[in-house]
Amino acid sequence: MSGAIQTIAEAARVIAAKQLSPVELTRACLDRVHKLDGELHAFVYLSEERALAEARAAEAAIMADGPKGPLHGIPIGLKDIVDTKGIPTTCQSRFLQDNIPDTDAACAEKLAAAGTVLIGKTTTHEFADGGPSFDLPAPPARNPWNTEHFTAGSSSGTGAGVAAGLILGGIGTDTGGSIRGPAALCGIAGIKPTYGLVSRAGVAPAAFSLDHIGPMAWTAEDCALMLQALAGHDPRDPASASRPIPDYTSQLGSGIKGLKIGVIHHFHETDHKVSDGTQHGITGAIATFRDLGAEIREVQLSPLQDWLACGSLISITERAAAYEEWVRTRLGDFSERLGSRLMLGSFVTGVDYVQAVRRRRELRAELQAAMRGLDVVLTATQPMEAAKIDAVPKWDLFAAPNFTMPFNVSGYPAISVCAGFGAGGLPVAIQLVGKPFQEPTVLRVADAFEKATPFRNRRPALATA
Amino acid sequence: MPEIKDEAFEFLLARAGLSLTDEQKAELKSVYAGIAAMAERVRQPRGYMAEPAHIYDFAEEDLT
């Protein structure tokens, strides 16, 4: 039982039935890490002894009193920009190679309280830059579906680790797509919650007003289970929302008959035409939703390029401000890729920034109006299957607009789920976007799609060999 | 988008407090047009009353 890769939901069921020990499950994950991570580079730090101690403690507690929830005894990873008490948090930067925080980030604290087992810190690019970077203290993560290919960034290690079964879930962060991009290219699920739903406290910033923390896992259901533990008000995060937290699993399995799904065709058909494989995935998803009883409608927004310009200006400027002291005094210690972006961000004028923030209000109002009467909207997550890792241009920021930034600009919740396999057998994905704090609906639609399609039955060959 | 003039580029460098190599300067100059184009794109005929997104109000707890 323990050797087979499982979802969080499945593992929780067998753990609760005392048919699987968290120690067995943790050992199985660690065995896979030892077998595969030399090739995948999903981890920058392995907390093996701590993981086994946590697993043993979970086992004892479950045997005595039963599990305290579905995450009790579940092996996870935390992106290496998430502070972890007593465990190195390097942000993949030369600036923080010796950084051992004395407190946990809010998300780490909450997952620990839910009983998770921390396998280790997962690979990212410096301070959550999109990457890939090859001049960092540790190499970039590789895509488990084909290790010559990129995972997307910056939650690369979490994406690769979940897809390969090294962990059952993990934390990603998303400033312009860093949860949803790796989820898409690694063929897993990843949700960027509504801005303010999950505390940013203790997580290194990329861009304060665009940063989101969220779960990545094999399925939308697993994301729901993790989000339940993560969501909630935190006074340490000035953007934290103070709202009642619903049951994120309550709508799963209730079908989507009568729900209204808007498709932003022009994003992926005109503004940035996607690959044949991705288009096939989107077309198939629309047909699936129709078969499940949803109503499909057309949605028109400003061109993708407008959203990207707004989000990128804000992102690049806020990041340059956050790291300005080091940019001015130790520029050469940054990776080439991030250093160049920070320099460029330093050139954005105050007026440019405010114009971008004014544009942000307009774009958000536009999305709000477009979603009136709809439950979710759908577009691509990534333009194509994963590129070869050495073929990603350094200045991809200007190469083509991405599909994820609009929902960082708006702060709306968005999930990426696998929608099939394209060129080279690499995953393709769709992105589903909901109204603010309507994660239960987003997860309901994503879960219905996963259960109506066969894509969750296939793991990377490397992981199942 | 026209290429940025040397004087303007040097001003931006000085304003940002950056001291760069010639190679770094050449690369930044080559991509500057991309960010300038984005800065143009966010400018809309919106008038002076249009508010930015980060205007805020005070919560109850701020008042006690």
Side-chain angles (χ1 to χ4, degrees):
Chain A
M1 190 66 179
S2 59
I5 300 169
Q6 299 169 79
T7 64
I8 293 173
E10 289 164 357
R13 275 190 287 274
V14 288
I15 286 173
K18 299 182 181 168
Q19 293 167 349
L20 173 67
S21 154
V23 177
E24 289 175 273
L25 182 59
T26 299
R27 283 195 195 285
C29 287
L30 287 169
D31 287 349
R32 279 194 287 273
V33 172
H34 291 306
K35 184 178 163 196
L36 300 175
D37 208 42
E39 196 176 356
L40 289 177
H41 307 299
F43 284 94
V44 292
Y45 182 85
L46 206 57
S47 48
E48 187 161 0
E49 282 182 24
R50 172 177 155 156
L52 288 167
E54 288 176 343
R56 281 191 287 269
E59 181 186 70
I62 292 165
M63 291 307 286
D65 302 314
K68 54 182 162 182
L71 299 186
H72 203 171
I74 300 295
I76 61 149
L78 297 173
K79 183 174 178 175
D80 196 34
I81 63 165
V82 173
D83 276 356
T84 38
K85 183 180 179 181
I87 291 179
T89 301
T90 71
C91 300
Q92 275 281 63
S93 175
R94 281 180 275 278
F95 292 95
L96 296 176
Q97 282 307 289
D98 302 319
N99 179 44
I100 301 179
D102 52 14
T103 54
D104 275 335
C107 60
E109 194 177 85
K110 287 194 167 212
L111 288 176
T116 57
V117 171
L118 180 62
I119 296 288
K121 303 298 287 290
T122 56
T123 306
T124 180
H125 305 286
E126 189 173 24
F127 292 114
D129 175 52
S133 292
F134 298 91
D135 58 347
L136 297 174
R142 300 278 175 155
N143 194 314
W145 296 90
N146 184 331
T147 55
E148 288 185 8
H149 289 248
F150 191 32
T151 52
S154 61
S155 308
S156 318
T158 306
V162 168
L166 312 186
I167 43 180
L168 273 61
I171 284 292
T173 67
D174 192 317
T175 307
S178 287
I179 288 174
R180 292 158 289 160
L185 297 192
C186 294
I188 67 169
I191 185 167
K192 178 201 79 65
T194 308
Y195 187 70
L197 183 64
V198 176
S199 173
R200 297 172 298 127
V203 178
F208 305 102
S209 73
L210 298 165
D211 287 344
H212 298 69
I213 319 295
M216 301 168 73
W218 185 246
T219 64
E221 181 183 16
D222 286 358
C223 287
L225 294 171
M226 288 187 71
L227 187 59
Q228 200 69 55
L230 290 165
H233 180 63
D234 179 4
R236 293 169 294 180
D237 175 357
S240 182
S242 183
R243 299 179 57 85
I245 300 303
D247 179 347
Y248 293 109
T249 60
S250 64
Q251 294 186 24
L252 305 186
S254 59
I256 59 166
K257 191 172 171 56
L259 292 191
K260 295 174 182 64
I261 299 177
V263 181
I264 321 170
H265 283 285
H266 67 90
F267 269 15
H268 53 266
E269 291 176 7
T270 312
D271 300 346
H272 187 182
K273 190 169 164 43
V274 295
S275 70
D276 290 347
T278 302
Q279 185 58 57
H280 184 71
I282 293 170
T283 306
I286 293 168
T288 300
F289 289 130
R290 208 173 256 130
D291 289 347
L292 292 171
E295 289 177 33
I296 307 297
R297 297 184 181 174
E298 169 101 24
V299 172
Q300 188 81 29
L301 297 170
S302 286
L304 203 44
Q305 288 80 353
D306 284 19
W307 297 85
L308 186 77
C310 174
S312 297
L313 275 176
I314 292 169
S315 174
I316 202 167
T317 312
E318 290 187 4
R319 191 184 299 235
Y323 298 101
E324 184 182 45
E325 187 181 335
W326 285 337
V327 172
R328 288 185 173 199
T329 58
R330 294 176 58 188
L331 182 60
D333 287 335
F334 283 104
S335 66
E336 185 193 340
R337 188 182 154 102
L338 179 59
S340 300
R341 278 166 167 66
L342 291 168
M343 287 187 262
L344 194 60
S346 305
F347 287 180
V348 178
T349 69
V351 176
D352 291 339
Y353 178 81
V354 174
Q355 297 295 19
V357 180
R358 293 172 95 196
R359 185 69 181 129
R360 186 177 194 176
R361 177 178 283 267
E362 293 160 356
L363 290 170
R364 203 162 60 190
E366 184 184 288
L367 181 61
Q368 183 186 20
M371 286 197 70
R372 212 163 280 140
L374 297 175
D375 294 290
V376 296
V377 295
L378 181 160
T379 185
T381 311
Q382 285 277 311
M384 56 186 277
E385 300 82 338
K388 287 205 166 179
I389 196 165
D390 55 4
V392 180
K394 177 178 173 183
W395 290 104
D396 54 350
L397 172 66
F398 302 124
N402 76 42
F403 296 98
T404 43
M405 181 61 94
F407 312 108
N408 297 80
V409 167
S410 64
Y412 281 37
I415 192 169
S416 179
V417 289
C418 183
F421 299 88
L426 292 162
V428 296
I430 55 167
Q431 183 178 199
L432 296 162
V433 183
K435 294 174 184 170
F437 302 107
Q438 296 304 310
E439 280 82 1
T441 306
V442 174
L443 291 160
R444 171 185 176 186
V445 177
D447 175 68
F449 177 71
E450 287 180 341
K451 287 180 175 150
T453 53
F455 311 128
R456 293 304 72 204
N457 301 327
R458 182 168 161 189
R459 287 271 187 174
L462 158 154
T464 53
Chain B
M1 184 61 57
E3 194 178 315
I4 186 170
K5 290 193 165 58
D6 286 344
E7 299 76 21
F9 186 77
E10 292 296 337
F11 171 79
L12 287 175
L13 279 180
R15 180 69 186 82
L18 298 179
S19 177
L20 305 186
T21 64
D22 288 345
E23 191 183 354
Q24 288 171 319
K25 286 182 185 178
E27 184 187 13
L28 271 192
K29 279 187 77 171
S30 73
V31 296
Y32 181 79
I35 209 77
M38 287 180 169
E40 277 310 303
R41 193 175 264 275
V42 296
R43 286 169 162 83
Q44 301 278 317
R46 57 172 65 91
Y48 59 82
M49 295 294 274
E51 300 264 5
H54 58 1
I55 297 303
Y56 61 93
D57 61 357
F58 290 105
E60 267 309 308
E61 59 261 33
D62 295 317
L63 310 178
T64 57

